[in-house]
Amino acid sequence: MLRAPPETPRPPARRPPPPRCSPASGAPPPPPSSAGHIRRLVLTPEGREKLDARPDRNFYAFPRLVKHVDDGFLAALTDLYRERLRPGSDVLDFMSSWVSHLPPEMPFRRVVGHGLNAQELAKNPRLDYFFVKDLNKEQQLELESSSFDAVLCTVSVQYLQSPEKVFAEIFRVLKPGGVCIVSFSNRMFYEKAIGAWREGTAYSRVQLVTQYFQCVEGFTQPEVVRKLPSDAAGGKAASPLDAVMRLFGMAGSSDPFYAVISYRNFKHM
């Protein structure tokens, strides 16, 4: 991978909607299965648009065997996995690539990978098997319900155009008590990121992912983990030049680390 630069509606119920979530006029009815019910739509039509409207499968047709973010971000991510994942778990590495950043010493029952490039996924040594699927074309996963202890999504959530449906599927495939960890930084393939992400700030992007969880019934209140460049620099803030250099994939201070974490129904203690 290239290093990415950083229907007449019924009268509304009297119960007020959750903050920042728009009414789900196009949301599907509660599903008969254990999939999470989408209560509200988060994104506007404009917020789902990409500058490059070509199929994502075309964009990702060639393998990019490099990392999206720097070593500081990846170390923080592996430490978080070490803290939140349990040995012997069933793990779904969502929107994955040639590396999963899982703790090398931690054994898992199985690790299933998903992505858009089979060559990249085939090179990932932590995957027991994988499948290729464009989630912006079809969101339903050919996976059993309640079959994973953890779903991980690393630096890819910014490309989802139907995140509400995708997060409902994540809820479905998670076991009760299973965890979903969504991590991201300020890097992106700008032309492939959705408008709500491109035009947002670090704060608004955290809130956006938080809402993705909140708009699916059954997820616990999301937790947010932040590790910013100033934290790694002893409190010294990154310069504007560092921010510009990171945006274009050049050297600079560490990439900021953000993770939003939620569980299906409850959190294991």
Side-chain angles (χ1 to χ4, degrees), residues 42-60:
V42 176
L43 298 176
T44 64
E46 296 78 13
R48 303 174 194 273
E49 292 179 354
K50 298 184 176 186
L51 297 176
D52 182 352
R54 293 176 299 171
D56 290 341
R57 289 289 293 269
N58 294 350
F59 185 82
Y60 295 100

Side-chain angles (χ1 to χ4, degrees), residues 231-260:
D231 299 334
K236 183 180 179 181
S239 71
L241 178 59
D242 285 331
V244 172
M245 293 174 72
R246 288 197 307 273
L247 178 64
F248 289 98
M250 301 167 65
S253 61
S254 295
D255 292 326
F257 175 86
Y258 304 95
V260 185

Side-chain angles (χ1 to χ4, degrees), residues 26 30 40 42 56 59 75 82 90 95-96 99-100 119 143 145 181 247:
R40 298 284 187 270
V42 176
D56 290 341
F59 185 82
R82 191 174 282 117
D90 293 295
M95 305 177 77
S96 185
V99 59
S100 290
Q119 290 174 275
L143 297 170
S145 299
I181 303 175
L247 178 64

Side-chain angles (χ1 to χ4, degrees), residues 7 17 21-29 37-42 164 215:
E7 169 187 313
C21 288
S22 59
S25 59
H37 168 43
I38 301 171
R39 301 183 295 187
R40 298 284 187 270
L41 294 181
V42 176
E164 303 94 341
C215 290

Side-chain angles (χ1 to χ4, degrees), residues 167-182:
F167 274 66
E169 276 293 280
I170 290 174
F171 182 91
R172 181 183 68 79
V173 302
L174 278 174
K175 300 176 184 178
V179 63
C180 179
I181 303 175
V182 179

